[in-house]
Amino acid sequence: MEKLDATMRVLRPYPHVFAFYDGRIEGVRAYSSEPNWLDDGAYALGICSYAIVDGAQALVYDTHISLDHARLIRRTLEAEGVSSIRVLLSHCHDDHVAGNAVFADCEIIASAGTLAALTAHREAMENAAPPIKPLVMPSRILDGDTTLQVGRIAVEIRHVDIHSFDAAVMVLPESDLLFAGDTLEDPITYVDEPARLKIHLDDLARMGGWNVGRFLPNHGRADVIAAGGYDASFIDATRIYVEKLLALDGETATAEQDLQTFAAEIFGSGAVTYFAPYEDVHRRNVEAVIGRHSIS
Ligand SMILES: [Zn+2]
């Protein structure tokens, strides 16, 4: 069987940043032709993990979608002379933690919310298709916002309640850079906690107030990531889309619109780019918000 990481690309948006990008390849699936979390939730949309590196130290931001992917990340860093690896989990979702076992001998850092969610969903994740087994749990739990030093690079880890209640984003003040996890996604956010969307809007505004210049998401365009990331209009695009979802109440005609029509404003602004596989994400988002079915 072909290894799952056969199409992974290693990008270097900055000298001290590695981006491990896979998927978003038309007609290609990595795991199975059957519906599954790896292909439908990550690979088809494009999925990117990161590492911040200085000298012999590295901080890996999410362990990617399989052990093969995680091994490639580790191999790449070790080939660069890294001998000390820590991991930070952006949040609890499967496509961000599936490679944890490859870093079982490293410190794996996460928020208390991420630990609680992984504990609650461990059995389901270990028995999913594909299974994440064993699910290696975080070994260090963040006590509020925390600054780490990766070699000479200061990394500020901040908790935000966007996309998922447990999200941890990273700010590199000296590089004017924010690693967004799934809090920002090109073209649209994935609504997994529809009841919390108003809270997500509040925290998007708070994140916008940090005045960071560049943003690197875990789901976005490889060419934009390789070129250094998105600008702050990415936050506005996310806000506008979420506001439109929240205004759907009783708006039957708008709820029927496809993504290209529904979100024409954000595509017109150039902040994000229409991508057809997100039609399914949008349909699911609309259904989640108007309550046709609930999402676990
Ligand atoms: Zn997620």
Side-chain angles (χ1 to χ4, degrees):
M1 184 179 157
E2 195 171 11
K3 284 177 69 190
L4 279 170
D5 65 350
T7 55
M8 180 105 117
R9 286 165 274 171
V10 181
L11 312 172
R12 291 291 290 272
Y14 299 91
H16 54 297
V17 176
F18 287 73
F20 300 95
Y21 193 98
D22 207 2
R24 243 186 225 233
I25 305 166
E26 205 179 331
V28 179
R29 293 171 73 82
Y31 176 67
S32 165
S33 56
E34 300 293 319
N36 68 87
W37 67 260
L38 189 154
D39 284 304
D40 301 304
Y43 189 88
L45 308 177
I47 170 82
C48 191
S49 282
Y50 296 93
I52 297 163
V53 178
D54 190 48
Q57 291 192 31
L59 179 64
V60 170
Y61 189 53
D62 289 345
T63 62
H64 228 286
I65 54 176
S66 76
L67 298 178
D68 286 342
H69 288 82
R71 283 187 202 104
L72 191 154
I73 292 170
R74 188 159 184 162
R75 255 195 335 266
T76 303
L77 298 176
E78 288 173 350
E80 288 286 318
V82 169
S83 56
S84 169
I85 299 178
R86 284 170 288 177
V87 171
L88 172 66
L89 303 177
S90 68
H91 65 301
C92 61
H93 290 160
D94 36 22
D95 53 326
H96 301 260
V97 304
N100 280 10
V102 169
F103 299 97
D105 60 330
C106 305
E107 187 172 67
I108 300 181
I109 306 165
S111 70
T114 298
L115 174 64
L118 290 176
T119 303
H121 296 122
R122 181 177 196 159
E123 199 180 327
M125 292 167 88
E126 290 191 330
N127 291 292
I132 302 173
K133 193 168 188 174
L135 174 63
V136 170
M137 302 301 268
S139 53
R140 175 179 166 191
I141 302 310
L142 293 165
D143 182 18
D145 293 352
T146 302
T147 300
L148 294 182
Q149 205 65 35
V150 181
R152 293 159 297 174
I153 302 168
V155 179
E156 296 181 2
I157 303 170
R158 300 180 187 175
H159 172 249
V160 292
D161 194 332
I162 307 169
H163 169 74
S164 63
F165 74 102
D166 62 323
V169 300
M170 304 192 299
V171 176
L172 271 56
E174 287 145 42
S175 311
D176 199 22
L177 197 55
L178 187 149
F179 293 77
D182 281 3
T183 64
L184 302 171
E185 191 162 335
D186 177 8
I188 54 166
T189 190
Y190 193 108
V191 178
D192 199 53
E193 301 175 1
R196 304 176 65 79
L197 279 176
K198 288 201 174 93
I199 296 167
H200 298 171
L201 279 181
D202 290 344
D203 257 12
L204 276 172
R206 188 166 65 90
M207 201 161 80
W210 298 343
N211 291 317
V212 175
R214 289 278 151 190
F215 298 82
L216 292 168
N218 285 37
H219 304 281
R221 279 172 50 178
D223 59 334
V224 176
I225 290 168
Y230 294 79
D231 66 26
S233 65
F234 200 8
I235 294 181
D236 298 323
T238 308
R239 171 184 56 78
I240 289 164
Y241 177 74
V242 170
E243 284 173 348
K244 251 196 122 175
L245 282 179
L246 286 171
L248 275 179
D249 208 10
E251 284 272 345
T252 320
T254 316
E256 299 293 327
Q257 287 174 348
D258 62 14
L259 173 62
Q260 199 156 23
T261 311
F262 181 88
E265 180 183 351
I266 62 173
F267 301 133
S269 76
V272 291
T273 308
Y274 177 73
F275 185 53
Y278 272 84
E279 289 286 358
D280 286 345
V281 176
H282 173 62
R283 190 52 32 216
R284 194 174 176 278
N285 287 350
V286 169
E287 287 170 4
V289 169
I290 64 179
R292 277 195 218 143
H293 70 80
S294 59
I295 289 184
S296 60

